[in-house]
Amino acid sequence: MLNIVLFGAPGSGKGTQSELIIAEYGLQHLSTGDILRKEMTEQSEVGKSAKGYIDAGQLVPDEVIIKMLEKQIDLKGSKGVIFDGFPRTVAQAKALKKMLNDLGTDVSVMLSLNVEEQALIDRLLKRGEISGRSDDNLETIQKRINVYKEQTLPVADYYKSEGKLVDIEGNGTVEATFELIKNAIN
Ligand code: AP5
Ligand code: MG
């Protein structure tokens, strides 16, 4: 099984590259951000409790995220999963390890998309013109980037210590970045 943690700052291209990886390798996609936005649209309990955090650019609490993921994960007949935007804390990384180990598998690799901060901001502001995402405005984008640096970057060290971290230069075009990802996977 090929289980990929696709890691990177807001706007680094996780969602964009996930789609290309799925088309090439036939993996399942698990984006905690996409799941949370769906829950918000449906005004479910999870959605209602997550909204305040998302609008403020803060992380949704680990318990909520881990429980949500436990419900979603189903590996029957699966070639593997791309985890997009998860894990975002070391506690989430440890919970993921346990979940996958219990299912007889593990994370294969963490691909970390490295993109310069100004490019992240430019991309997200541009997307904000059409996305309708409540967190795609300059103030919240800056908060999301700070939260990434303070709370999420340590997750890269966690996978580095497991020998699973692969850095991907993500400043180039979508296509150029995907070539680097394919090389890393193959
Ligand atoms: P989430 O939905 O995961 O958002 P994010 O991490 O902030 O990242 P984005 O989805 O904005 O960016 P991306 O890296 O997917 O880039 P994309 O491909 O779209 O999380 C949202 C919120 O939910 C969090 O803030 C938190 O509150 C909560 N949350 C989610 N998961 C959580 C968790 N595990 N724990 C706790 N809370 C959680 O690209 C961005 C734009 O750039 C697009 O317009 C794209 O077309 C463009 N683009 C992409 N690549 C390129 C390129 N190479 N060149 C030029 N443009 C490009
Ligand atoms: Mg995304």
Side-chain angles (χ1 to χ4, degrees), residues 39-64:
E39 299 276 355
M40 288 204 297
T41 305
E42 290 167 358
Q43 300 197 315
S44 69
E45 284 311 309
V46 169
K48 281 190 249 174
S49 73
K51 188 176 181 343
Y53 295 101
I54 291 177
D55 289 353
Q58 300 294 327
L59 295 184
V60 175
D62 286 337
E63 315 80 80
V64 177

Side-chain angles (χ1 to χ4, degrees), residues 30 62 65-73 75 83 86 91-106:
L30 244 166
D62 286 337
I65 296 289
I66 292 165
K67 223 186 273 170
M68 189 177 88
L69 208 86
E70 277 169 349
K71 266 207 266 170
Q72 294 271 341
I73 205 161
L75 300 180
F83 296 95
F86 175 89
Q92 290 181 17
K94 290 180 175 165
L96 177 62
K97 185 172 181 65
K98 182 164 186 317
M99 256 184 263
L100 291 178
N101 286 174
D102 287 349
L103 295 165
T105 183
D106 203 347

Side-chain angles (χ1 to χ4, degrees), residues 2-8 14 21 81-88 93 96 100 106-113 155 159 164-166:
L2 179 60
N3 296 312
I4 300 174
V5 171
L6 194 52
F7 186 79
K14 300 183 295 294
I21 298 171
V81 183
I82 305 173
F83 296 95
D84 160 0
F86 175 89
R88 261 176 149 93
L96 177 62
L100 291 178
D106 203 347
V107 169
S108 314
V109 66
M110 174 202 247
L111 303 176
S112 175
L113 292 169
V155 175
Y159 285 103
K164 291 180 176 166
L165 170 68
V166 178

Side-chain angles (χ1 to χ4, degrees), residues 11 13-16 29 31 33-34 37 84-85 127 133 144:
K14 300 183 295 294
T16 305
H29 187 202
S31 158
D34 288 351
R37 280 183 288 278
D84 160 0
R127 187 181 67 188
R133 265 178 67 163
R144 286 156 64 197

